[in-house]
Amino acid sequence: MSTWRGYLADLRVVLSGNVGVMAVSWFLFALSSAMVMPFFSLYARNLGASDIEISIMRSLGFIALAIFLPVGGILTDLWGRVRPIVMGTFMVAVVQFFYAVVPDWRYLTAVVVVDNASHFYQPALTAILMDSMPRDKTMKGFMILNAFSSLPWLFMPVVGGVLYDIYGTLGIRIGFLISGVISIVVAFLRIKALRETYSSHSKDLSGIVLELAGYRPVLNKAVKFYVYTAIFNQLTVGVINTFGAIYAVNRLGMNAFDWGVATTLGSASSILASLILSAKMSLHDKKTMLASSSLIALAQLFYAIPYFNRAAIPLVYLATIISSIGGAIVGSSISSILTHVLPTELRGRATGIQRTLETLGSALASYVAGLMYAYIGPFISFIVSFTMGVVSTIYLAYII
C-alpha cells in the first residue's frame, strides 16, 4: 500500500507544471488522431491513391518534416521552448480542416506535406519536457506521460471504425473536422498554461549553430541511440505503419471496427505496462529494453501468419498488443537516457537532429514498405520486417 501511495505522490509531481500541460494537450490531440489515423491509408485509398502512391505520400510528408526539424531545433535553443510550440500548434490546427475537404489523393498529398512541415516544433516539445521533468524520475515520468496521453486510444479507434463502417470516407472527414476544433483548443491551452524553461544567453544564430562542435562527445553518445530510433526501428515497423489498415481490411477480411479494436487493445496494453513498470522503475533497465525491442520484432512475424491462415487472425490482435508494449517501453527508456546525457542548452538542437534522422528514416521505411508490399506481397514484407527487428535488437544490445 505504501508503495502505491509513493507512486501516486510521484504521479502528482510528474504531472505538474509544463509536463501536466503537455499531458492534457496530448490527451486532447489523441481524441481526434486516434479516431482517424488508424484508417488514414484507407482514406487515401478511397481518394484514389494506389499502394505505391500511399507510400510516396507518406515519404514526402516525412521529407518535409525532416527539412524543417533542424530549423525547429535551432529556434528552440534561440527563442526558447514556448514560442515555437505555440506557432506550430496553430499551424497544425488550420491544416486539419484541409484534411477534411480534399477532393482526391493529390490534394491530400499536399496537405500531408504542409502538415508535416508544421510540426517543426517537435524539438521544442521534447526540450520543454526534458527541462521540466524531475531529474530523479525521468523514466517514470516519460512512461506516465505516455500512458496518460494514450488513454483516448482505448476507445477512439473503435469510434473511428464504426464511423468508417457506416459512413465510409465521410466518417473520416468528420473526424478531421473534430481534430481541427480540438487543435485550436490545444493551441490556446498552450498559450495560457506553458511556462518558458530556457532563455539563450546568445541570440546570435551563427553562434547557436557553430556551438555544436563543442558538444561533439555528447552528440556522439546520443547519435548511437538515434541510429536505433531513426533507422533500425523505423524499418522494422514501416510495413505495419504504412499499410496496417489496408492489410487488415482488404487482405485479411477484417472490418474497420475489428482493426479499431486491435488498435485499442494495443493502446490499453501499452498504458497498463507503462503504469506497472513506472511504479517499479526509476531509471531505464537494459534487460527490459532488450525484451521490449524483441517484442516489436516478434509482432511483425505474428502479423504475417494470418495471410495464409485466416484462423490465425487473433494473432493480429496479439501482435498489436506486444508491439505497443515494446514501443512504449523502449521509447520511454531512450527518452530517459537522453535526458541525462544532453545538457539543457543543447536539447533543442540535439532533439532537432534526432527528429530529423527519425523522419528521414520514416520516409525511407515508408517507401521501402511500399515497394515490398506492392511487389513481393504482405507476407514476405512482414518476414523482412521481423528480420530487421532482430537486427535492431542486436544493435540495441551492442550500444547499451
Side-chain angles (χ1 to χ4, degrees):
M1 182 66 70
S2 60
T3 300
W4 283 103
R5 286 199 189 98
Y7 174 76
L8 291 175
D10 288 342
L11 184 64
R12 286 192 293 270
V13 171
V14 168
L15 292 180
S16 62
N18 286 335
V19 180
V21 175
M22 294 307 304
V24 172
S25 62
W26 279 348
F27 176 90
L28 293 173
F29 266 138
L31 285 173
S32 57
S33 62
M35 181 166 52
V36 295
M37 295 317 295
F39 313 100
F40 182 82
S41 58
L42 288 173
Y43 186 50
R45 172 68 69 82
N46 291 350
L47 293 177
S50 66
D51 291 341
I52 289 292
E53 287 163 347
I54 291 172
S55 66
I56 292 174
M57 178 191 306
R58 285 174 55 87
S59 295
L60 289 175
F62 289 136
I63 291 171
L65 179 57
I67 291 172
F68 284 91
L69 277 172
V71 178
I74 292 172
L75 293 178
T76 298
D77 287 339
L78 185 64
W79 289 351
R81 319 316 195 192
V82 175
R83 188 175 170 189
I85 290 174
V86 171
M87 290 176 58
T89 305
F90 270 111
M91 293 172 65
V92 169
V94 172
V95 169
Q96 303 309 304
F97 295 103
F98 286 96
Y99 272 121
V101 298
V102 289
D104 60 43
W105 71 273
R106 294 174 182 83
Y107 286 93
L108 180 62
T109 301
V111 174
V112 167
V113 169
V114 175
D115 184 21
N116 278 271
S118 300
H119 282 81
F120 71 91
Y121 66 99
Q122 287 183 0
L125 292 175
T126 302
I128 202 170
L129 286 173
M130 288 180 170
D131 296 345
S132 306
M133 197 76 71
R135 190 165 179 80
D136 61 334
K137 297 180 175 64
T138 54
M139 178 64 183
K140 183 175 296 186
F142 280 111
M143 296 193 78
I144 290 172
L145 183 62
N146 173 73
F148 186 81
S149 59
S150 298
L151 287 174
W153 288 84
L154 293 176
F155 51 91
M156 293 309 293
V158 176
V159 174
V162 171
L163 281 174
Y164 183 81
D165 285 337
I166 296 175
Y167 299 108
T169 302
L170 177 61
I172 300 179
R173 292 187 188 276
I174 293 171
F176 278 119
L177 288 174
I178 295 172
S179 179
V181 174
I182 290 176
S183 298
I184 291 174
V185 172
V186 169
F188 282 106
L189 169 66
R190 289 176 172 177
I191 288 176
K192 184 175 180 60
L194 283 179
R195 297 292 177 264
E196 186 58 71
T197 59
Y198 178 72
S199 177
S200 174
H201 297 295
S202 171
K203 297 297 181 181
D204 179 70
L205 179 60
S206 61
I208 287 286
V209 176
L210 295 176
E211 188 183 37
L212 287 173
Y215 289 103
R216 184 175 178 181
V218 175
L219 287 174
N220 286 342
K221 188 180 296 185
V223 164
K224 293 179 181 179
F225 290 95
Y226 298 168
V227 170
Y228 173 85
T229 60
I231 299 176
F232 289 112
N233 190 57
Q234 297 293 347
L235 289 172
T236 299
V237 299
V239 174
I240 192 63
N241 283 350
T242 306
F243 297 106
I246 290 176
Y247 177 66
V249 174
N250 293 350
R251 296 300 183 107
L252 300 184
M254 301 169 66
N255 56 41
F257 175 82
D258 295 331
W259 180 242
V261 170
T263 305
T264 292
L265 289 175
S267 300
S269 303
S270 170
I271 291 170
L272 184 61
S274 295
L275 291 175
I276 292 174
L277 290 175
S278 67
K280 299 179 179 297
M281 299 168 60
S282 57
L283 290 174
H284 47 275
D285 177 83
K286 295 179 181 180
K287 292 181 180 179
T288 304
M289 288 178 68
L290 295 179
S292 301
S293 182
S294 300
L295 288 179
I296 298 173
L298 184 61
Q300 312 313 307
L301 182 61
F302 286 173
Y303 282 125
I305 294 174
Y307 184 77
F308 288 115
N309 183 6
R310 300 299 170 84
I313 282 180
L315 285 179
V316 172
Y317 297 95
L318 179 59
T320 306
I321 289 170
I322 64 175
S323 180
S324 298
I325 292 174
I329 295 173
V330 170
S332 297
S333 298
I334 291 178
S335 294
S336 174
I337 291 171
L338 293 175
T339 299
H340 287 265
V341 167
L342 298 173
T344 302
E345 66 274 12
L346 181 64
R347 287 171 178 171
R349 285 160 290 173
T351 304
I353 294 171
Q354 177 187 4
R355 299 301 186 203
T356 299
L357 293 175
E358 289 175 355
T359 303
L360 290 173
S362 297
L364 173 65
S366 184
Y367 185 66
V368 170
L371 293 177
M372 291 196 302
Y373 198 86
Y375 294 113
I376 64 176
F379 180 79
I380 300 300
S381 297
F382 281 118
I383 296 300
V384 173
S385 298
F386 165 70
T387 305
M388 183 54 63
V390 174
V391 174
S392 299
T393 304
I394 294 172
Y395 174 79
L396 186 61
Y398 169 73
I399 64 174
I400 64 176

